[in-house]
Amino acid sequence: DAGVIQSPRHEVTEMGQEVTLRCKPISGHNSLFWYRQTMMRGLELLIYFNNNVPIDDSGMPEDRFSAKMPNASFSTLKIQPSEPRDSAVYFCASSPRTSHTEAFFGQGTRLTVV
Amino acid sequence: AQSVSQHNHHVILSEAASLELGCNYSYGGTVNLFWYVQYPGQHLQLLLKYFSGDPLVKGIKGFEAEFIKSKFSFNLSKPSVQWSDTAEYFCAVNEAVGDMRFGAGTRLTVKP
């Protein structure tokens, strides 16, 4: 398996633009997590899905952020409009959700909003 | 919801020194415990995990962790660090049926 695949790897955008980050989880995994990593805040859980359903989105910073999982093999994290403080590395991770399993991380998307 | 505390933000060691990184969690129920490592510019990778059984867990690259239930702790150790261990280390916890929460991370710098 290719692992968790995220795209793009790097994104530079201007303030106010819409940004869409994409994630393909490992086939057969039914939990998916979006994390944001910054120097100031470390690794924050934004939202996680189980069987394509959002279970906990309490970590989503504000209404400008939205996440979807239309099917088991694809998820998006959208920021609209983007702001410079959204600059961070965004990681997607997936897990089989059987008992006693860890999360497997993608390579991350480094977002820079100028 | 559970929380995870890592006591050290930045640890600097010389090669061959011993390492111990602290991790405490707040949840009192059944939890699964993990340590992940993030090398510079890379994604998080699993070092080791604990679910049940022997509280002393051995992971990759000579790392170990000890689960002490009474102290809600899961500390990571290595008897002799190498320059290549320079990385950020994250402790993580999930409930048996919950999401995974990470500590703030500890940055380890090993001087050659």
Side-chain angles (χ1 to χ4, degrees), chain B residues 40-78:
Chain B
Q42 296 190 24
H43 64 293
L44 277 77
Q45 304 169 48
L46 185 71
L47 264 183
L48 49 79
K49 58 188 177 185
Y50 172 81
F51 298 128
S52 64
D54 188 344
L56 187 61
V57 180
K58 294 187 186 301
I60 61 171
K61 304 187 181 187
F63 286 91
E64 293 183 346
E66 185 176 14
F67 170 54
I68 303 179
K69 188 174 182 179
S70 61
K71 294 184 177 180
F72 298 91
S73 69
F74 190 55
N75 294 347
L76 181 72
S77 64
K78 184 171 182 177

Side-chain angles (χ1 to χ4, degrees), chain A residues 26-98:
Chain A
I26 294 173
S27 176
H29 286 192
N30 52 9
S31 283
L32 183 140
F33 308 84
W34 281 102
Y35 292 89
R36 177 173 68 176
Q37 186 177 36
T38 61
M39 288 289 290
M40 294 297 293
R41 291 191 152 122
L43 197 63
E44 303 172 275
L45 177 65
L46 300 178
I47 185 171
Y48 86 97
F49 295 84
N50 189 33
N51 292 326
N52 312 340
V53 176
I55 302 301
D56 183 354
D57 65 354
S58 60
M60 295 286 263
E62 48 197 276
D63 292 346
R64 297 184 298 106
F65 286 68
S66 62
K68 293 182 180 179
M69 192 165 185
N71 56 61
S73 59
F74 184 65
S75 177
T76 59
L77 178 67
K78 186 178 292 186
I79 309 172
Q80 166 63 19
S82 58
E83 296 182 4
R85 61 193 167 118
D86 301 330
S87 298
V89 180
Y90 291 81
F91 286 103
C92 177
S94 70
S95 168
R97 282 297 286 181
T98 56

Side-chain angles (χ1 to χ4, degrees), chain B residues 26 38 50 69 71 82 87 102-105:
Chain B
S26 64
Q38 185 180 29
Y50 172 81
K69 188 174 182 179
K71 294 184 177 180
Q82 301 173 317
F102 284 80

Side-chain angles (χ1 to χ4, degrees), chain A residues 17 60 82 91 107 109-110:
Chain A
Q17 296 297 307
M60 295 286 263
S82 58
F91 286 103
Q107 297 284 341
T109 295
R110 181 174 293 279

